[in-house]
């Protein structure tokens, strides 16, 4: 459901970029293509796709590819991410971020403010990070 947590024009742009990123997925094992578009605080959009591996566990989700691209290029503050996925490149339903990706979001984003846009075939759902990762672990717990 659209809750207007961020501007709908920006949401449309993120959704469009996530769909393009989805086409770049490297998925010879699962066949599930995933795309993510991450919005930095300063306005840049960084995309990612899932990248699988014959050894399976080195596989990296689209969301983390986007975060790692951004952080490794010097961007560490983020506003929102849009995510879509599906078998054979078809968005048949929501493809929400896995727990590992939510934990990476927790490292770099404000759980009270960071918006996760889960793309569905004809619509999308919006969540705050704190809703998808309640009582998340972060550096404030390391003392
Ligand atoms: N995948 C993502 O890219 N993001 C997620 O948050 C969930 C799962 C990918 C990993 C794997 O390549 C495929 O989807 C099937 O699990």
């Amino acid at each position: 459901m659209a809750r207007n947590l961020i501007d709908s024009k920006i949401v449309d742009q993120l959704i469009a970029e996530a769909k393009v990123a989805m086409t770049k997925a490297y998925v010879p094992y699962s066949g599930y293509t995933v795309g993510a578009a991450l919005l930095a605080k300063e306005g840049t959009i960084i995309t990612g796709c899932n990248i699988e591996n014959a050894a399976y566990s080195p596989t990296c989700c689209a969301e983390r590819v986007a975060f790692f691209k951004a952080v490794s290029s010097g961007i560490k503050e983020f506003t929102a991410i849009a995510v879509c996925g599906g078998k054979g490149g078809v968005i048949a339903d929501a493809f929400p971020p896995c727990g590992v990706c939510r934990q990476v979001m927790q490292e770099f984003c404000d759980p009270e403010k960071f918006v996760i846009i889960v793309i569905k075939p004809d619509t999308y759902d919006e969540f705050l990070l704190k809703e998808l990762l309640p009582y998340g672990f972060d550096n404030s717990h390391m003392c």
Side-chain angles (χ1 to χ4, degrees):
M1 189 184 61
R3 295 158 62 192
N4 301 317
L5 297 176
I6 59 169
D7 188 283
S8 67
K9 276 203 188 107
I10 294 171
V11 171
D12 289 347
Q13 211 179 334
L14 291 174
I15 289 175
E17 296 236 14
K19 286 180 177 173
V20 173
M22 189 178 165
T23 68
K24 311 276 195 270
Y26 175 75
V27 292
Y29 306 103
S30 78
Y32 282 89
T33 65
V34 187
L38 176 62
L39 177 64
K41 260 193 187 152
E42 32 80 351
T44 310
I45 296 175
I46 307 98
T47 59
C49 64
N50 54 333
I51 303 172
E52 297 187 343
N53 189 284
Y56 287 24
S57 66
T59 292
C60 195
C61 293
E63 299 91 320
R64 277 178 288 144
V65 168
F67 268 91
F68 297 158
K69 274 170 71 179
V71 174
S72 61
S73 62
I75 303 170
K76 291 193 204 63
E77 292 190 304
F78 306 102
T79 306
I81 192 168
V83 186
C84 57
K87 187 93 175 164
V90 178
I91 302 170
D93 201 353
F95 214 81
C98 78
V100 175
C101 290
R102 294 178 199 197
Q103 182 62 32
V104 169
M105 293 172 196
Q106 179 83 12
E107 186 68 27
F108 295 103
C109 308
D110 180 343
E112 307 273 338
K113 293 190 184 147
F114 186 70
V115 178
I116 298 167
I117 299 150
V118 178
I119 301 167
K120 294 163 127 181
D122 297 312
T123 182
Y124 60 90
D125 288 330
E126 286 174 278
F127 304 94
L128 292 170
L129 176 56
K130 69 173 180 185
E131 295 166 337
L132 297 193
L133 188 63
Y135 199 32
F137 178 76
D138 61 24
N139 62 8
S140 70
H141 303 106
M142 296 181 70
C143 47

